[in-house]
């Protein structure tokens, strides 16, 4: 039963919720039933069919509508007396600036990606508004409290880096099924149905092309008079047959590796493969093109069946045909979507056929979709538990009850007979470049790297700045914004293509750059250290940033922990990352809870090794053969690497 002081704090509070997904639906309901009177909610997403099994405020009729608006309407039906303001928008939009955040007493995150979490963290710091952060994956969850100057901020501790793969591994020497998925999704699918102008590492030259560049036609271009079956067969033979033969010509590559086997249509154990495929004219096509299915056309029903080479080949050819017959208008602008049945079927079949070539076991569509879309099915009960904990911490924040703040972890297996593990918050990390303004160090070849590389790979990708301003002393090297004069905007655009050492104010070893984001009101200094050479596989960016708080990925599979609520997309650059779309990332930094009494002041390294094993077991049980490597929607799983090397140095809040 709430005390008078709690009720007073609740009723007088103005609360901002960010995210209306798995956690958000539960949280909005809990806030309303707890007596909160003024709630604002931001979410840019629309409702998908896959959301309906756990985001209980939504129904089938809501598919395609704004999550924030539908959630608002649903809650107002049983709590019409409260005020709920919804925003169908991106929290990173300029409208949601520091002044916007200052109007709230507390911000509650139910977000699904790392980038947005960092952005909200910075705005809360700039506005001096408390933040309650959260995340879930399966049976695991966490809630943390962040108060400027009193506790660590969201970025004070390492965040696991997205797993990347060198492009040579993906295109030439795959050894795991996940490599085949990345190849099928980010290279083949994109080449076949995506932007034709996008850089792609697939070999496009046909076997009969001469060495003359004028004859080097793109084999993926469909000829005018070419029948769709002939085109499908030609693509099949090229990517699974000819390209493998080309790879085999490099004898050095296969000295210590098993040689792959080229697969041509003629090798598939069916003489009537093409003719056996379905009749697209008989397929019922609903209004939603995402419902078109090669499995339905061929009479295959169970997504958990593991298809043979013949079945994979039939699915591949049928899916390709359906794209051209039923969805031709979309070709050239398609991107992979885990909710696009035909896309998942195409990628699964292509990955399986490639896997056979390299001696990798087949996987079912269900397993392949989990890897390609980073999916683990969410547990609605976990979302409900975490939402309740968020509200408990929010009430403490509103009462300024700092001595009772807790970071609470929801475990799958009891530790000391507890499934909820409360831990006192840590003090701010003095090395955090976000809340402690510690300088960073960038190693880079200043005579080769361009300002564009620095902006894209460091300022945006690693530091998470959206509207950066870069200065060398008093010289402004780069700025973005709608209010820039044309000549200034042209100058900054021209600077992007200049090598660092050739900028108007040259950047060389010993230079100190100041990088700011005016929207986030964040500024940091970066010391430049010139370095001549980088390892192309281990350091694909050609530059190394030290002092920022993202943990490096580790190679060992058994060191990974799962996460369900963080985003990036592959662009076939020197390292091809698995997609991290939108997640409800949980970055549980646990390493040992069964030997320590809950609630005591202690180092994070003292909290449960059992908890870590709980996390790993979730990953193992979810997919014992293959583990998705990155973050996706709050329905999804990401395998996060354990980055706890520095956690023993963290101090408890006193």
């Amino acid at each position: 039963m709430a005390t008078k002081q709690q009720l007073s704090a609740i009723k007088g509070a103005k609360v901002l919720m960010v995210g209306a997904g798995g956690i958000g639906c539960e949280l909005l309901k809990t806030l309303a039933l707890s007596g909160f009177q003024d709630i604002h909610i931001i979410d840019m997403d629309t409702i998908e069919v896959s959301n309906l099994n756990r985001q209980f405020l939504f129904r089938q009729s809501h598919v395609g509508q704004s999550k924030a608006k539908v959630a608002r309407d649903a809650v107002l039906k049983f709590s019409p007396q409260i005020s709920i303001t919804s925003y169908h928008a991106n929290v990173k939009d300029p409208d949601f600036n520091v002044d916007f955040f200052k109007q709230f007493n507390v911000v509650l995150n139910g977000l699904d990606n790392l980038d947005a979490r960092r952005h909200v963290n910075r705005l809360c710091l700039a506005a001096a508004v408390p933040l309650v952060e959260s995340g879930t994956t399966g049976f695991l969850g966490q809630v943390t409290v962040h108060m400027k100057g009193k506790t660590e901020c969201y970025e004070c501790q390492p965040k696991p880096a997205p797993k990347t793969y060198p492009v040579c591994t993906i295109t030439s020497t795959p050894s795991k099924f996940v490599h085949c998925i990345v190849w099928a999704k980010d290279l083949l699918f994109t080449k076949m149905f995506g932007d034709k102008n996008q850089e792609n590492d697939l070999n496009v030259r046909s076997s009969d092309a001469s060495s003359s560049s004028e004859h080097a036609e793109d084999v993926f271009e469909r000829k005018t008079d070419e029948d769709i079956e002939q085109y499908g067969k030609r693509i099949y033979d090229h990517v699974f047959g000819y390209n493998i033969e080309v790879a085999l010509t490099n004898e050095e590559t296969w000295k210590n590796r098993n040689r792959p086997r080229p697969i041509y249509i003629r090798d598939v154990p069916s003489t009537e493969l093409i003719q056996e495929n379905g009749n697209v004219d008989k397929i019922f096509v609903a209004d939603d093109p995402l419902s078109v299915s090669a499995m339905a056309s061929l009479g295959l029903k169970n997504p958990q069946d593991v298809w043979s080479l013949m079945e994979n080949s039939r699915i591949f050819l049928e899916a390709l045909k359906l794209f051209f017959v039923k969805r031709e208008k979309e070709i050239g602008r398609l991107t992979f979507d885990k909710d696009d049945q035909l896309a998942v079927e195409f990628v699964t079949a292509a990955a399986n056929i490639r896997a056979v070539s390299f001696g990798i076991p087949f996987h079912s569509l269900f397993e392949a979709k989990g890897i390609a879309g980073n999916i683990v099915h969410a547990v609605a009960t976990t979302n409900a538990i975490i939402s309740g904990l968020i509200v408990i911490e929010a009430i403490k924040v509103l009462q300024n009850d700092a001595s009772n703040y807790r970071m609470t972890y929801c475990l799958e297996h009891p530790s000391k007979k507890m499934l909820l593990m409360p831990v006192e918050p840590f003090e701010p990390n003095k090395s955090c470049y976000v809340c402690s303004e510690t300088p960073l160090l960038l190693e880079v070849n200043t005579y080769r790297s361009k300002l564009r590389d620095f902006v894209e790979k460091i300022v945006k990708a690693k530091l998470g700045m959206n509207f950066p301003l870069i200065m060398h002393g008093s010289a402004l090297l780069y700025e973005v914004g709608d209010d820039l004069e044309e000549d200034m905007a042209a100058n900054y655009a021209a600077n992007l293509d200049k090598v660092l050492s050739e900028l108007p104010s040259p950047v060389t070893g010993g230079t100190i750059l100041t990088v700011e984001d005016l929207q986030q009101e964040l500024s940091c200094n970066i010391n430049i250290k010139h370095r001549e050479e980088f390892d192309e596989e281990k350091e694909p960016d050609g530059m190394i940033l030290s002092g920022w708080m993202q943990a490096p990925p580790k190679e060992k599979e058994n060191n990974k922990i799962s996460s369900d609520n963080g985003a990036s997309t592959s662009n076939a650059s020197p390292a091809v990352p698995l997609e991290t779309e939108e997640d409800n990332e949980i970055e549980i930094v646990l390493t040992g809870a069964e030997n320590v009494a809950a609630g005591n002041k202690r180092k994070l390294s003292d909290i449960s090794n059992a908890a870590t094993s709980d996390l790993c077991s979730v990953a193992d049980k979810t997919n014992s053969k293959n583990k998705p490597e990155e973050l996706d929607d709050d329905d999804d799983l990401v395998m996060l690497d354990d980055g706890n090397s520095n956690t023993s140095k963290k101090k408890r809040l006193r």
Side-chain angles (χ1 to χ4, degrees), residues 315-328:
I315 287 287
F316 177 86
L317 295 170
E318 186 70 7
L320 187 150
K321 179 165 68 172
L322 286 171
F323 270 119
F324 278 91
V325 174
K326 297 294 183 183
R327 298 175 59 178
E328 190 170 15

Side-chain angles (χ1 to χ4, degrees), residues 375-393:
I375 297 171
V376 61
H377 297 294
V379 177
T381 308
T382 310
N383 289 339
I385 292 169
I386 292 302
S387 299
L389 292 170
I390 293 171
V391 174
I392 289 171
E393 293 306 319

Side-chain angles (χ1 to χ4, degrees), residues 89-265:
N90 189 336
V91 72
K92 293 165 68 178
D93 289 348
D95 291 341
F96 305 119
N97 53 22
V98 174
D99 288 335
F100 175 84
F101 272 69
K102 281 181 178 177
Q103 65 182 300
F104 299 102
N105 300 106
V106 65
V107 175
L108 313 177
N109 262 358
L111 273 166
D112 59 3
N113 70 88
L114 181 61
D115 189 40
R117 281 186 165 89
R118 295 195 302 186
H119 182 76
V120 171
N121 175 61
R122 295 170 188 188
L123 288 174
C124 286
L125 287 171
V129 176
L131 169 66
V132 182
E133 181 60 77
S134 66
T136 65
T137 180
F139 294 104
L140 307 177
Q142 68 174 30
V143 174
T144 55
V145 183
H146 306 281
M147 293 276 288
K148 183 177 182 178
K150 295 182 179 179
T151 72
E152 63 181 12
C153 79
Y154 177 70
E155 296 175 79
C156 272
Q157 296 306 320
K159 298 296 179 287
K163 175 65 176 169
T164 61
Y165 299 99
V167 76
C168 57
T169 299
I170 300 304
T171 58
S172 305
T173 57
S175 57
K176 304 173 184 175
F177 189 68
V178 65
H179 298 156
C180 300
I181 286 286
V182 174
W183 175 87
K185 178 168 74 91
D186 293 332
L187 298 184
L188 183 60
F189 183 87
T190 301
K191 185 64 181 176
M192 293 289 303
F193 311 115
D195 184 357
K196 302 295 181 187
N197 298 318
Q198 184 175 322
E199 184 181 348
N200 197 296
D201 291 282
L202 279 179
N203 174 25
V204 301
R205 293 194 58 174
S206 62
S207 54
D208 57 357
S210 70
S211 56
S212 170
S213 59
E214 61 182 302
H215 292 105
E217 295 178 355
D218 188 340
V219 74
F220 291 93
E221 288 294 329
R222 186 181 172 190
K223 297 168 186 174
T224 349
D225 56 345
E226 192 170 24
D227 180 83
I228 187 62
E229 276 83 6
Q230 292 175 327
Y231 175 65
K233 177 181 176 182
R234 183 163 61 80
I235 295 299
Y236 187 106
D237 284 349
H238 177 79
V239 296
F240 303 120
Y242 173 69
N243 275 359
I244 301 296
E245 288 195 11
V246 170
L248 286 169
T249 59
N250 186 350
E251 293 294 337
E252 192 67 27
T253 304
W254 310 109
K255 277 187 177 179
N256 300 309
R257 292 184 175 94
N258 292 327
R259 295 169 67 86
R261 173 171 67 96
I263 298 175
Y264 290 91
I265 282 288

Side-chain angles (χ1 to χ4, degrees), residues 20 25 28 41 47 57-58 66-76 84:
C25 280
L28 184 58
I41 180 166
I47 298 160
L57 296 179
F58 309 142
S66 160
K67 284 188 176 182
K69 291 180 180 178
V70 172
R72 172 190 178 274
D73 294 343
V75 169
L76 287 178
I84 303 178

